[in-house]
Amino acid sequence: MHRSRISAAGLALLLAGCDMADCVAMPCPLPTAVEAVVTNAAGGPLPGLFVDVVAPFTTRVSCDATTGRCVVPGNGGNYTLRFGATGHQTVERRVSVARIRATMDCGCDAVTTQQVSLSLLPL
């Protein structure tokens, strides 16, 4: 049986040939719950761009200020996200992420990644 593995941040994801002995030994990776693209009103980059997850847990997510891409890892559920940038308004959005059962990767849960696009206006 051939197995292919990819490691990311110390977590291994079994891509093929899963058996339950391997599944017990490997933690499931945290999927991407929300992927956002945040820009200024002209569609350009925002210096100091951030996303705060306010619910169901509290954390700040780093974003690529050049592309405006922000990735929020997490599981299914309801999220409240606060988007902001230096000198720009702060916008809060509620996002619902569905959890699905993935069978190829040892029964790890997967989620339907929600896409969010928004522009922040200057203060």
Side-chain angles (χ1 to χ4, degrees):
M1 175 177 354
H2 174 70
R3 293 188 178 147
S4 299
R5 295 182 191 264
I6 295 176
S7 294
L11 299 177
L13 170 62
L14 186 60
L15 296 177
C18 178
D19 63 38
M20 289 315 289
D22 288 332
C23 295
V24 173
M26 293 185 323
C28 292
L30 197 57
T32 298
V34 180
E35 185 174 293
V37 176
V38 185
T39 61
N40 63 25
L46 287 166
L49 175 62
F50 67 86
V51 175
D52 288 333
V53 180
V54 254
F57 51 86
T58 305
T59 191
R60 178 159 284 189
V61 176
S62 59
C63 302
D64 184 329
T66 304
T67 63
R69 184 172 182 266
C70 309
V71 175
V72 178
N75 291 308
N78 296 315
Y79 289 77
T80 302
L81 307 173
R82 187 174 299 133
F83 298 89
T86 305
H88 288 75
Q89 69 177 357
T90 301
V91 174
E92 200 166 280
R93 290 276 173 94
R94 291 193 177 108
V95 180
S96 184
V97 178
R99 189 176 91 176
I100 57 175
R101 192 71 175 163
T103 56
M104 284 186 58
D105 58 0
C106 303
C108 295
D109 286 336
V111 298
T112 57
T113 302
Q114 294 299 315
Q115 305 289 325
V116 176
S117 295
L118 60 105
S119 295
L120 300 180
L121 299 174
L123 294 174

